[in-house]
Amino acid sequence: GGSAMAAVRDVEIDPEGTFKYILVRLQRPAGGEQRDIVRGTKAAEFHNHIFEKVNPEMEKLGYECKCLGGGKIEHNSKDKKIRVFGLSTGYGKADHSVTVEILKKEYTDYEITWSDDKK
């Protein structure tokens, strides 16, 4: 059933600050359902650190993970603004417009923007 996938949150990012993020595609090995999730944290020095944490968690739930790219997120919770920008050296640039759509589901009352700026 869809219960395991429902248990996976669309977005897990730090509540404040500027940090690296990745866009990850989850897929059932036999094809079928897939969905994209956003993960970002200041704790990650490199983008692959985030993936190395997410991947085993998702494999336990029966998903194959693929990193679709990365970038940075600037999260200003006081002003309710999120800016998505930059890229990942290892994974390339995520499609920030996709990331913004996913973030909007979670942060419904935020102003969320993206650009291809490096900083």
Side-chain angles (χ1 to χ4, degrees), residues 17-21 47 70-75 82-88 93-94 96 99-100 103 113-119:
T18 302
F19 43 84
K20 293 182 168 65
Y21 94 88
H47 286 90
K72 284 188 172 174
I73 286 175
E74 184 182 351
H75 189 174
I82 293 178
R83 186 167 75 94
V84 185
F85 64 101
L87 52 82
S88 159
K93 185 176 79 70
H96 297 325
T99 302
V100 166
L103 289 169
T113 57
W114 68 272
S115 78
D116 288 328
D117 297 345
K118 297 283 193 294
K119 31 167 80 78

Side-chain angles (χ1 to χ4, degrees), residues 16-27:
E16 188 65 44
T18 302
F19 43 84
K20 293 182 168 65
Y21 94 88
I22 57 172
L23 185 60
V24 179
R25 175 155 293 164
L26 305 183
Q27 191 153 14

Side-chain angles (χ1 to χ4, degrees), residues 36-109:
D36 298 342
I37 60 170
V38 174
R39 293 291 183 269
T41 177
K42 265 189 277 218
E45 193 184 345
F46 300 105
H47 286 90
N48 62 302
H49 291 172
I50 308 173
F51 189 73
E52 282 160 14
K53 185 175 175 291
V54 173
N55 198 34
E57 289 173 7
M58 296 306 152
E59 281 182 343
K60 276 192 204 118
L61 297 172
Y63 296 109
E64 289 173 349
C65 287
K66 181 177 168 215
C67 185
L68 301 178
K72 284 188 172 174
I73 286 175
E74 184 182 351
H75 189 174
N76 181 336
S77 54
K78 187 168 65 76
D79 295 341
K80 295 197 167 183
K81 284 185 177 172
I82 293 178
R83 186 167 75 94
V84 185
F85 64 101
L87 52 82
S88 159
T89 314
Y91 296 120
K93 185 176 79 70
D95 185 338
H96 297 325
S97 63
V98 171
T99 302
V100 166
E101 289 311 308
I102 297 170
L103 289 169
K104 279 179 177 168
K105 288 193 268 186
E106 184 88 8
Y107 296 94
T108 49
D109 56 346

